[in-house]
Structure formats: structure tokens, C-alpha cells
Amino acid sequence: MTDTSPGSPTSGHGFETHAYDVVVIGAGGAGLRAAVAAHDAGARVAIVCKSLLGKAHTVMAEGGIAAAMGNVYPDDNWQVHFRDTMRGGKMLNNWRMAQLHAQEAPKRVLELEEWGALFDRTTDGLISQRDFGGHRYARLAHVGDRTGLEMIRTLQQRVVELGIDVYMECTVTDLLRDGDQVSGAFAYWRESGRFLVFQTPTVVLATGGIGKSYQVTSNSWEYTGDGHALALRTGASLINMEFVQFHPTGMVWPPSVRGILVTESVCGDGGVLRNSEGKRFMFDNIPEFFRAETADNEEEADRWYDDKRNNRRPPELLPRDEVARAINSEIKAGRGSPHGGVFLDIASRRDAAFIRRRLPSMYHQFKELADVDITAEPMEVGPTCHYVMGGVEVDADTGASTVEGLYAAGEVAGGMHGSNRLGGNSLSDLLVFGRRAGLNAAYYAGRMGSARPAVSDQAVKAAAEHALAPFTDEGGENPYTIQKDLQDLMQRLVGIIRKKEELEESLTELQSLNRRAENLTVEGHRQYNPGWHLALDLPNMLRVSECIARAALVREESRGGHTRDDFPKPSEEWGTLNLVLTESGGEISIKEQPLPVMPGELRQLFEEK
């Protein structure tokens, strides 16, 4: 072991070392499911998580798991779910990922139930399913409005039962390579600052998203784009990074909880959006693409809750990008709520007992954090940075990146959701592709036998020196100051509405922030040092932010989670292209790449009513 005071690493690296077949970075739904799958395939598996086991963003997915089980509406099937997913993503999804997701999601939900998940039930005893934006049928398997928490509880219990090794409060700062092949990972214990090395031929990235690059976000401190940046530095490519989802309904008051998620289930259970004039403004914001299936008046919208067979859904249940843009327009037009949002009202439409039964977390969240009783008064909500559709470019069937031995699943992987993710598809995505990535990582490691790639002492020393650099510079930049400036920049110039001049300005400012970040200074020692932790996270945040801004500047159209004020409509040309980003010599390159061609039998689904 090395001394915990600042200084150079010892020779011959001398750090705590562990060997595994598969190392999973991240302990949310995707990471836990990948670890279970890899273990079941016979691999020696470790989970490395930045925070505590069980504290994952999966628990924030309150509404449910999207799966075409047909428990409420027998007409639902994987083909309809596939079509909804593709349409929600504005046809930019990787069709094969969307197909596999729709086909396998029901099996993954039933698997959770077998492992002990306690879902809400229909009167017939089947798993209950609720409505959500963008889904034609009620298909979200749920546990009140705490579905993500139940999913994490179940998967976490499974991991513990199987005896899988878990390294909590441990952060990976670098992936190690032997030539073009992954050979390990370099990490540190957050409590002590001591370094450790994982020797492994396969790594599964399940690190989640990038939300802490933005000022107003539902994401907590862990979401600093670590997996995205690790993949780039290791030689993998990122895809669809311009598409950032601003969930339409985050808390806007009090300031201490600004951005915390308000589940879409509120609208699914009857809640409506109103501006300061009391007008239900979503009727004025129905895109032509969804007009045939969206109610255009109050009477028809309300009738849908009683007789959903008419399929004319309330406009509040449009895909999230459409609702977020409409809310943003109302606020900018001066028709917002007192604290800069709009009103989400379920109190005037459902009785108090119904609300407390169906939305217990929301009731307590507003009561305890904002002193608002949602059974008696409306909530103030507004768009909050919630999810990034872009991520590591992976093979649809295996989750493999373009680097040998590197896999990705969940929010850190791109392609599945196209330009916009439907609510509820996140949890099923984690289950379907977490399993696939874990299985294939284990198969890959098994095929290697004893011919494992080597971990270079030189590479380990370089990673340690890089991690310790903030202690050696004096009189440099404070990482908290740079993070604050970055969040302001991204919110102001690369937010929900974008334009060329502002994106160009953002790239100029990002270059300045990158130069400042080369001279970070932290004080104290490595034990319990959050300033040092942020100094190590900050380059990841800056790199991912640059990817978002560069891709947003190149894509000259508006689609899904990417809205250009200077190109307000979708483009037929851009509807056939993905943007792929790579890093070489510290520089980001971007290229256009045609979408995979969808088979004829799947294309026919979009010709049906």
C-alpha cells in the first residue's frame, strides 16, 4: 500500500490489485443486471460503484418498466411497443436495439418478479400496468411511484445472494489497455484516497449520464459523464450526443430542490398542465406527427381516462421533448408560475385518497420539501436536464463497443432511444441490455482462457501521477469555480433551445475552461477530500460537454431532444444520419454515419394504423 499523503506513486506500482473476468463499473439497474448475467455465465465478477450500493439513479425512475405484457390491454404486443419507441425517438433509434428491447422486456419483468419484486396488481392478479407519455397502451409495470427503488432492491438482493464482489465508494479514473484490448481499470477509494488496480480482460460501463454538466438537473453528484469520457479516452466512439432530454416536469421551488423529478405518472393518472392564466396550454402544442392520436379538446381528453379504447390521448402524455418545449415556450412568453415554471394540477381532478394511494412518493416529496399539499393545490414544475440519449456506440446484440473487451449498457450506451427516450423505456433498457452486455462480456472473457492481456506498470504509474496532479500544482484553479462556470455555460448556451451563434460561443468558452482545468489545485490530503474528487471528475464533464456542443452545432435541424431555433423543423436528410464522435490526441472528431437499414417487415409496421 502507498502512503495516503500527496506524492508520487511507489515504483513497481505497489497498489492494491484484484483480478476478475468481468469488471462492471456502475451499480444501477444496468450494472447490477450485467453483473448477475456475467456471474450466471460462469465469470468471476466485480462491481465498482462511485457511491453506496443501492444509491443509483435507477431509483428515480418512479413511473414503471415499459413492457408489452398485455395485462391491461390485450391488444398490446412487442410490435406496437417497437413502433412507439421508434416514433418517440423520431426514427433515429438503432432499429435492432429497439426491436430486442420490445421483444425481451416482458421476460425481464417476469424475471424480476421471480427474484422477489412486488408489483402492483390488477383485479385479476396480474402485474398492473399504467399509462405514460408516448405509449399507445398502458404498459408500465409499476410499484406505486417507486418502481425504480423496488427494481434496485430486487437486483441488489440478487447480487448479494450470489456473492458478487462489490467495491463501494470506489471511483475508476482510467481504463488500461494492452494494445487495442482492455486489460484493466485504475481506481481509488474515495474514503482513503488509496489507489487500486483491477486486472480484467472485459469491462462493462454502466455509469449512467451527464446531468451534472447542467445547472438545473434531476441528476445527483455522481452523474459526471465518467463512462462516456472513459470510453472516448480508451478509443471507443460516442453516438447521438446532441440529444439531451429535459424532463418536462422537475420541481422548481424551493431552490434547494430545483430540478428534482416529478414523475410522468402524475399526468398518466389525470394531472394537467396549466399556465399562470389557468389555461391548459398543451392543446395548442400538438405536433402534426401526433395529431391523429391526441385529443384536441378538454372533453375528449378527459373521456380518455374512462375509455382508453378511443386512443385519443391527453396532450400532456405526448413524448417528453414535445411537452418540455411547450412548457419552455409558456415560461418565455411570460405565462409561467411565480417561480419560473408552470402548474401541474391533479388536485382539482382526483380525490385526495386516490392521489395518496397512486402517488405516495410525490405526495411526501412535495409536502416535506416544498410544503405543498398536492391533494389540495397544484405543483410548480419546469424542464430539468434528466437524461442523455447519446452514449457509447455499441453492437445491438452484444453491447460491445468498438474497443476489444469494452461493453456498455444503460444510459451510458447510445442508439437505443434515438433522439428522444420514452418514459418507462429506461428501466426496461437497463434490464434488457444490462443482461446482454454482462453475458457477452463473460463469453468474451471465457473464450480468452488464460491468455489474458497484461497490465503495464508504466500505464498504472501514469494513471496515478495524473490522479495526484492537483496536489502538485499551487496557486491554480479551484475545481468548484470551474464546475459552476461550466454548468452556467451549458444551461445558457447548450440548453433546451439552441442556435448557431450560441453553440459557437459555447465551444469557445469550453476551450477556455479546458485550459483553466489544466491547472487545478486542491488542498489537504487524499482522505475525505471532495475537492480532489471533483478535480478528477471535471475533465470528464468538460469532455462530454464539448461532445454535446459540437454535435449540436453540426446537426442543423430540430429533432427530439435537440431543438435548433435557427433550424426549427426536422430535416429529411438529417433523419437518416447519426453523428459519431471519437477522440485522438486530445482532439474530438465528428463524422456523419448512415442509420442501419431497417428490414422491410419492420418498416411495414409504420404503415399500419
Side-chain angles (χ1 to χ4, degrees), residues 429-497:
D429 171 19
L430 305 181
L431 294 172
V432 170
F433 294 107
R435 173 182 172 273
R436 282 182 166 269
L439 278 177
N440 284 283
Y443 295 157
Y444 181 87
R447 289 195 300 270
M448 297 191 74
S450 59
R452 299 297 173 92
V455 170
S456 158
D457 282 349
Q458 184 178 359
V460 171
K461 289 179 183 178
E465 289 170 358
H466 177 264
L468 292 172
F471 290 112
T472 61
D473 290 330
E474 295 183 4
E477 291 275 354
N478 185 322
Y480 289 98
T481 302
I482 296 181
Q483 183 190 33
K484 180 179 181 297
D485 292 346
L486 172 65
Q487 291 173 332
D488 173 73
L489 179 163
M490 293 299 287
Q491 196 76 29
R492 178 168 41 91
L493 302 176
V494 199
I496 192 168
I497 307 292

Side-chain angles (χ1 to χ4, degrees), residues 329-550:
S329 297
E330 292 298 307
I331 296 168
K332 285 196 168 184
R335 296 186 292 270
S337 64
H339 300 108
V342 295
F343 295 106
L344 175 53
D345 172 28
I346 194 172
S348 68
R349 299 169 57 79
R350 294 288 185 265
D351 63 56
F354 176 92
I355 295 170
R356 284 195 291 265
R357 184 178 73 253
R358 295 280 291 184
L359 303 164
S361 294
M362 288 298 98
Y363 174 76
H364 290 290
Q365 177 174 303
F366 274 87
K367 192 69 176 171
E368 294 171 11
L369 300 180
D371 195 26
V372 170
D373 182 353
I374 69 171
T375 69
E377 57 187 309
M379 299 159 253
E380 283 190 69
V381 300
T384 176
C385 178
H386 179 53
Y387 191 93
V388 61
M389 276 67 73
V392 182
E393 185 180 20
V394 294
D395 175 75
D397 288 79
T398 65
S401 76
T402 54
V403 173
E404 289 289 317
L406 182 62
Y407 297 76
E411 189 173 354
V412 73
M416 160 63 200
H417 303 290
S419 67
N420 176 59
R421 176 179 65 80
L422 294 186
N425 273 359
S426 57
L427 291 187
S428 40
D429 171 19
L430 305 181
L431 294 172
V432 170
F433 294 107
R435 173 182 172 273
R436 282 182 166 269
L439 278 177
N440 284 283
Y443 295 157
Y444 181 87
R447 289 195 300 270
M448 297 191 74
S450 59
R452 299 297 173 92
V455 170
S456 158
D457 282 349
Q458 184 178 359
V460 171
K461 289 179 183 178
E465 289 170 358
H466 177 264
L468 292 172
F471 290 112
T472 61
D473 290 330
E474 295 183 4
E477 291 275 354
N478 185 322
Y480 289 98
T481 302
I482 296 181
Q483 183 190 33
K484 180 179 181 297
D485 292 346
L486 172 65
Q487 291 173 332
D488 173 73
L489 179 163
M490 293 299 287
Q491 196 76 29
R492 178 168 41 91
L493 302 176
V494 199
I496 192 168
I497 307 292
R498 302 156 177 178
K499 57 180 68 174
K500 179 181 179 181
E501 296 78 13
E502 292 181 347
L503 291 169
E504 290 175 337
E505 182 183 347
S506 76
L507 289 168
T508 301
E509 291 193 25
L510 280 166
Q511 286 180 348
S512 174
L513 290 179
N514 274 303
R515 287 192 294 270
R516 289 168 58 190
E518 291 174 0
N519 188 32
L520 292 173
T521 296
V522 296
E523 298 180 355
H525 293 264
R526 285 151 60 183
Q527 302 98 322
Y528 306 105
N529 194 330
W532 180 46
H533 302 164
L534 179 59
L536 297 179
D537 290 340
L538 197 55
N540 299 336
M541 299 168 69
L542 288 165
R543 182 56 87 206
V544 170
S545 296
E546 181 182 349
C547 289
I548 294 169
R550 287 196 181 282

